[in-house]
Amino acid sequence: MTTALVRRPGLARLRLSGSRGGRSWLYLLCLGFLAVVVLLALLAPWLSPHDPNAVDLGNALAGPSATHPLGVDGSGRDTASRLITGARTSLLGPLGVVVFSTVVGVVVGVAAGWRGGWLDSVLSRTTELVFAFPGLLLAILIVSIYGEGLIAPVVALGVAYLPYVSRLTRSLVLAERERPYVEAYRVQGHSGPQICLRHVLPNIAPVVLAQSTINFGYALIDLAGLSFLGLGVPALTPDWGRMVFDGESAIQSGYPLSAILPCAAIVLTVVAFNVVGERWADQVARRDR
């Protein structure tokens, strides 16, 4: 079974030149970091020390203090509270993109790879057309029509990411379809949908999961970029990309902390998702050797 993942150009793969032990501690570190970020997102209402939208213009751009450990932004809002609460929106958007693109992509890929013929040709040509259109440009176009919000860019990026999953799934199904166990189940009278659901999908699931994990990081970058352009979540919604957008004026005023911290959160989270996804892909590759 092939395990080659579909990777987007423009983001270098993180590789560690050390031994397998070195890669293991990096993987565990990234996995632990992601667990902390997810817990922050889930427990944000109880962990945030202040109301993330509470404005105190008299205290704008103040540095770290006992009351505000990470300082405040240009509107006097507590940076730590917005960073913690923003994790929820910043993860929810990519999750929607990944769920939509994975579910639809797997259905399309299985149908194309299993049935073949004219259905494969139609689905493959359609996904190639979607693949040729830049996902971020599609999201900007849709957001400019429907306005700010999370749903429009999530759907647009979900459609743009769909070909990465469907093409991978199709190649995996084509390989699985030729395996002896498939013919054995056919002889026993099992239908195509039964074989796909009970046997083919479980076999290809680890590879698809690894690809979806990598896609999560890319989706986080794209949605943060839209928020930075003012095309993502509404202004009052705590979000890491929106925090960078709001912190641009603070950087020009010589107070970069409110913009640097969400940038660091985005970069570290994306790197962690890529490391975890790469590790899972390597484990699948070693299993199938």
Side-chain angles (χ1 to χ4, degrees), residues 12 51 70 72 87 112 158 174 178-179 183-184 195:
D51 181 353
L70 299 181
V72 297
L174 286 174
E178 302 303 322
R179 291 184 175 269
E183 186 60 31
I195 298 174

Side-chain angles (χ1 to χ4, degrees), residues 31 37 39 60 71 123 149 154 156 205 208 242:
L31 203 61
V37 172
L39 285 176
L123 293 177
V154 164
V208 176
R242 189 78 196 193

Side-chain angles (χ1 to χ4, degrees), residues 94 98 161 212-222 269-270 273-274:
V98 168
Y161 281 51
S212 298
T213 304
I214 295 173
N215 286 348
F216 193 104
Y218 290 122
L220 198 157
I221 292 178
D222 287 342
T269 304
V270 171
F273 270 108
N274 274 270

Side-chain angles (χ1 to χ4, degrees), residues 174-189:
L174 286 174
E176 287 294 313
R177 194 176 64 177
E178 302 303 322
R179 291 184 175 269
Y181 79 87
V182 173
E183 186 60 31
Y185 282 118
R186 281 174 173 163
V187 172
Q188 294 175 15

Side-chain angles (χ1 to χ4, degrees), residues 25 35 42 50 70 85 91 94-95 98 101 113-114 138 144 153 156 158 172 183 185 194-195 217 238 251-252 270:
W25 75 256
L42 293 175
H50 302 278
L70 299 181
T85 308
L91 296 183
L95 179 62
V98 168
S101 61
W114 186 263
L138 177 63
S144 64
L172 294 171
E183 186 60 31
Y185 282 118
Q194 286 178 324
I195 298 174
I251 294 177
Q252 296 173 352
V270 171

Side-chain angles (χ1 to χ4, degrees), residues 5 7-8 10-16 214 218 274 278 281-282:
L5 298 187
R7 294 179 176 86
R8 298 171 61 190
L11 185 63
R13 295 174 60 192
L14 181 61
R15 289 294 187 186
L16 190 66
I214 295 173
Y218 290 122
N274 274 270
E278 293 282 354
D282 291 341

